[in-house]
Structure formats: C-alpha cells, structure tokens
Amino acid sequence: MTGPRIVLGVSGGIAAYKACELLRRFTESGHRVRVVPTASALNFVGEATWSALSGRPAATDVWSDVHEVPHVRIGQEADLVVVAPATADTLARAAHGLADDLLTNTLLTARCPVVFAPAMHTEMWENPATRANVATLRERGAVVIEPAVGRLTGVDTGKGRLPDPGEIFEICRRVLARGVAGVGPDLAGLRLVVSAGGTREPLDPVRYLGNRSSGKQGYALARTAVARGARVTLIAANAGLPDVAGADMVHVQTAVQLREAVLAAAADADAVVMAAAVADFRPAVYASGKIKKVDGRDPEPVALVRNPDILAELSATRPKAGQLVVGFAAETDDVLANGRKKLARKGCDLLVVNEVGDTKAFGSEENEAVVLSADGSEHPVPYGPKEALADTVWDLVAERLT
C-alpha cells in the first residue's frame, strides 16, 4: 500500500476492541497503518490480532527492532497519529511529555496531526486533572474528541464512552486531509452550535407535518468543525444518522423543542449555524387519538399556526456578545433573489442559499450553494461533497471571528 501512513495508538481500556474496527476502516481505504498498543492494551487485544488486521507487525516496545530506532522513526514517518481509545493515564502522560513506552515516545517525535479519542468512566473524564490535561493537549494543537454518552463498563452509564469507530474514522480523515494541506485545528477554542435535520410537527400519534431534510449537511458541518478543533454541540431533529464523534449530541423532534435546545446551547457559543429545516407551521390542534377515516366524508381541514422563527430570534438577541449567526435557505426558484431577501429579513451574518428539489440536496452526499454575507459579498461553492461546503462555511466564520 502506498497511502497515507497512520499510527494507531491503543491504550489499555475495555474499548480497545473497538479499535479493531477503526483499524479495518483505515486499511480498507488504502492507508498504511502501524499499530502501537501499550502493554496494558495487549491484555484486552493481543499482538497477533493487531498484526493480522494491519498487515504489519505491531510495535509493542522500544526494544524490538532496535536497529530501526522505532521510538523515533515511527512518529517521524507518520502522516497522522490517532490514539483510540485514549485512557486518562495516556492523556496525562502525553500532556506531561513523558516517554516511558513506545506510544508516548511516538507522540513526542510526531510532527503530524495528532487525534485522541478518549474513553473512560465519567468521573475520570470530569476530574479536574483530566480536564487540565485535555486543555493542555488542545492548546498544543492536538484534536481531542469529546467522548460519547452511553453505556460504560458494567452497569454504569454516562459520558466517557468511545464514539463509534466509523465516526472516529470520518474525523481522522478530515484531520489528515487538512494536515496534508498544511492547515491545523484553526477552530480550536471556539464553541460552536449546529442544528441539523428536519422538525416534525405531530398531528396525531401516528401522523406529522414534516420535510425531507436528511440532516447530512448539518452533520458534515459538525464533523468538520470537530476535526478543526472546535467544541461542538449538534442539535439533531429526526436525522436518523450515527452520532458525530466528538460532538455533544442533543436530539429533538419539533420546532419548539429545537428552539429551546438551540437557545440553551447558544448561551456561550461563539457561532450558531442553523442548518436544520424548521417547519414554518404546526397543526393548531393535536389529536390525542388517531384521526379516523369516515366513509363518504371528507376529512376536516387542518388548521395551522406559525412556529417560532429561531433564526430571526437568534440574530436579534445574540445570547453571547460577538456571536456569529449563520442561516440556511432552501429555495426552489429565484434562489439568489429570495436568499438576499431572507438574509435582510432574518438579520443573520451569513446565509447559505441552495436550490432544492427531487434530485437536489435532499438525502444526497453532495451539495451546491452560494454563501451570502451581510456585507454584500457572495461566496459560490461548486457542486461537490457536503463537507466542502462545510469547510467554506467554517472558513468564513473563522475569518469573521478572528
């Protein structure tokens, strides 16, 4: 294989078995992977497994193949180092520059992007010592992914679960691409809020008024922001997609619920991107039982009431001083003209305008848009992956915040 060179560090936690799936994704996509497990990690997954899955001998200690100087060479030659899972102990040793095993030596010699995917019990993650170590690593340019919330070892549940390996891979892929381009985590230190998906307004227990938004563009925005070092809250409305690794996830259904979640998260956010498709109206009356069909009789008309205009409210109130607000406008005709009117009406700083329809935007992996700015400038984004549009949005946000 001649693809990018990845070092996969594995710490000694029960989540080590999930790193096998991450390794498989790297190798199947053409990356050359060298696995560097700690001694504790080998108690959970053996050396033979790492070697078989990577197609290369696992590097387990500084005394093997000494003539190749592994404690220096492995880090020097890497295009990306990712530690998954990263235990509290590994984070502490990395933050303090210790070099007592091959993995910590590799971290000290690496001049490439470094990603840590922590996994530990909630109490350990929330301990001030761990939080200080994470802050130190982020200040030095490492991307430390926020752990997921869910089932931990035993019966415990809370924040500290290793995110889905597929989602970790997507974050690493973006970090690697930016590293190859010579761009680091330029959004580090920023708190960002992204909404995604489409709201559903219930008519009765089985029916709702909704839209066709898949949530993929909002999720691409969240993944890209995490890869660029930001602390991200993703508020997802009925997206049905895997949680984004590193994002604080909030799941909602209706426009009213979305408003409450966005305003709460925006209180200390540097920027809010409203990519969700929010229903303009909701049924005025909710039927507690399923509305029955009566033979020979037309159904009663459905009265609608307006939903709150979340984007306009955010733009007007700005919960945090200096906050940047970005909106999305899905149009079917007179796209730019309608977009400019909406930008002026909503009062946001940037508005992403795109044409939608049966074969455009909805559910697709690609998008095409124009980002309109309140200062009158326009930034066309040609047809391509939704993450490319996401990067353009964050470029414009970073430019304005700095």
Side-chain angles (χ1 to χ4, degrees), residues 77-100:
E77 297 175 353
D79 296 306
L80 174 73
V81 176
V82 53
V83 183
T87 60
D89 177 69
T90 296
L91 293 173
R93 290 189 292 137
H96 288 82
L98 300 183
D100 56 354

Side-chain angles (χ1 to χ4, degrees), residues 36-363:
V36 183
T38 65
S40 296
L42 294 175
N43 290 320
F44 295 95
V45 180
E47 180 180 352
T49 299
W50 300 121
S51 299
L53 291 177
S54 66
R56 306 182 68 189
T60 57
D61 62 77
V62 297
W63 305 112
S64 299
D65 301 318
V66 175
H67 62 288
E68 296 181 356
V69 199
H71 73 289
V72 174
R73 290 285 181 263
I74 293 175
Q76 284 180 334
E77 297 175 353
D79 296 306
L80 174 73
V81 176
V82 53
V83 183
T87 60
D89 177 69
T90 296
L91 293 173
R93 290 189 292 137
H96 288 82
L98 300 183
D100 56 354
D101 64 4
L102 186 56
L103 178 56
T104 48
N105 274 274
T106 298
L107 290 169
L108 282 179
T109 57
R111 293 297 180 266
C112 60
V114 177
V115 176
F116 293 92
M120 63 196 73
H121 268 71
T122 306
E123 294 83 357
M124 300 174 74
W125 173 251
E126 294 177 348
N127 189 283
T130 302
R131 304 309 299 160
N133 291 332
V134 169
T136 297
L137 292 169
R138 286 172 172 164
E139 288 171 3
R140 294 174 183 165
V143 174
V144 184
I145 299 174
E146 290 286 313
V149 176
R151 183 71 177 268
L152 306 174
T153 305
V155 298
D156 293 342
T157 298
K159 189 167 187 177
R161 181 182 177 90
L162 187 73
D164 178 78
E167 287 296 312
I168 297 175
F169 172 76
E170 289 299 323
I171 298 297
C172 290
R173 185 172 64 82
R174 287 161 170 77
V175 172
L176 178 61
R178 292 184 64 79
V180 171
V183 184
D186 59 333
L187 299 181
L190 296 181
R191 298 183 70 90
L192 307 175
V193 175
V194 179
S195 70
T199 62
R200 295 177 180 178
E201 312 303 322
L203 177 62
D204 64 20
V206 298
R207 301 181 181 92
Y208 61 85
L209 180 67
N211 58 67
R212 296 172 56 191
S213 176
S214 67
K216 291 182 178 180
Q217 184 62 71
Y219 274 58
L221 281 156
R223 287 193 193 94
T224 302
V226 170
R228 293 172 68 160
R231 178 71 183 274
V232 180
T233 298
L234 175 58
I235 303 170
N238 309 295
L241 299 171
D243 288 352
V244 172
D248 294 320
M249 300 295 303
V250 180
H251 294 279
V252 299
Q253 293 186 342
T254 68
V256 171
Q257 293 171 350
L258 181 67
R259 174 186 177 273
E260 293 173 353
V262 167
L263 291 181
D268 60 351
D270 297 292
V272 182
V273 179
M274 288 293 298
V278 184
D280 293 322
F281 310 99
R282 67 180 184 273
V285 177
Y286 173 74
S288 58
K290 179 182 177 182
I291 300 172
K292 300 294 186 181
K293 179 174 63 177
V294 179
D295 291 340
R297 185 187 304 173
D298 290 335
E300 293 293 328
V302 177
L304 302 176
V305 295
R306 295 182 66 91
N307 270 324
D309 191 328
I310 307 172
L311 180 58
E313 183 177 359
L314 274 174
S315 300
T317 59
R318 309 281 173 155
K320 179 181 179 180
Q323 186 177 86
L324 204 71
V325 179
V326 182
F328 270 67
E331 301 289 346
T332 57
D333 54 71
D334 296 329
V335 175
L336 287 182
N338 287 330
R340 292 188 187 97
K341 292 177 183 177
K342 185 171 184 177
L343 176 63
R345 187 171 66 252
K346 301 292 186 180
C348 51
D349 301 285
L350 298 168
L351 187 72
V352 183
V353 185
N354 63 327
E355 185 176 359
V356 297
D358 290 340
T359 59
K360 296 179 180 179
F362 287 131

